[in-house]
Amino acid sequence: MITNGKKIKELARAQFDKNKFFTMSGTWIAENSSLNTKGAPREIIEIAGKRFECRHIDIHLILYEFFTNFGSVLDRVTYEIDMLYDLRITLKERHWSTLIREKPYLEKLGVKDRDLADLLKDYAGKLQVATRYRNRIVHDGIIRIDTDISIKGLKVMLAQDPNDDASPMNVDAIELCKEVKYNLLGLLDKSYKLMLQRIQNHGNPPW
């Protein structure tokens, strides 16, 4: 009897959400991850004598939740910077990509707070790859996933180019998410520190 995918989803989520690696006393026992079974790729694995069905849709949903939250945080930071520094980005365009890519807004911010503008430019580069994966997963549907489950734990690989599923599958999704989380927290810590310093030096916003 095959246990449903809930357990394997919990194990996968533990890695993505808590950055912890679990160990398994089991081996890879069946299907190639590229095969379709009842409409969804899967593997059957054995952990401590029990068989589990791992569907790629569960892993995709975890990635989807991670990257949608990632994008929402960036958009929220953009909103607050827009309000504090009176950049006057229109409501429809008030997104991270607009702030970073549209010169008038970043230049206007640079005139008011050069340190913050430079910080955003720096982190825009660090988060560029993550932003591409976010846009691919959120806007263009199911992304190709390769998995390997062994005594070392769960390994989820993504395409090197998120917009080309034929590109090499050499991006470790768990390591990518760790790096994204690290950089996102760095952006939040440093940007809010600069904004608080500005309040102390120049009084209440908007500036």
Side-chain angles (χ1 to χ4, degrees), residues 54-142:
C54 174
R55 291 193 178 275
H56 286 188
I57 189 63
D58 291 332
I59 297 173
H60 183 274
L61 288 173
I62 293 169
L63 289 169
Y64 181 87
E65 291 174 5
F66 180 91
F67 281 104
T68 51
N69 287 328
F70 160 75
S72 295
V73 170
L74 290 181
D75 289 344
R76 181 65 196 184
V77 170
T78 299
Y79 171 82
E80 294 182 359
I81 290 174
D82 182 38
M83 294 292 98
L84 292 174
Y85 291 88
D86 194 27
L87 302 181
R88 301 191 181 183
I89 304 174
T90 63
L91 181 62
K92 185 177 180 180
E93 296 179 329
R94 196 178 287 150
H95 305 293
W96 171 257
S97 59
T98 302
L99 176 61
I100 295 304
R101 296 175 185 172
E102 299 295 330
K103 282 189 176 181
Y105 300 123
L106 205 54
E107 287 179 353
K108 188 175 181 180
L109 177 62
V111 171
K112 297 184 175 188
D113 193 331
R114 171 51 56 191
D115 289 340
L116 181 58
D118 289 343
L119 180 73
L120 296 184
K121 286 180 184 178
D122 180 42
Y123 274 92
K126 293 178 180 179
L127 297 171
Q128 183 178 18
V129 171
T131 301
R132 293 186 66 212
Y133 279 100
R134 180 264 175 198
N135 292 340
R136 169 66 176 82
I137 292 171
V138 171
H139 297 300
D140 297 320
I142 301 295

Side-chain angles (χ1 to χ4, degrees), residues 5-12 24 45 47 53-54 149:
K6 183 178 180 181
K7 180 64 175 179
I8 200 67
K9 184 175 180 180
E10 290 174 354
L11 292 172
M24 297 180 177
I45 63 170
I47 305 173
E53 180 180 282
C54 174
I149 305 171

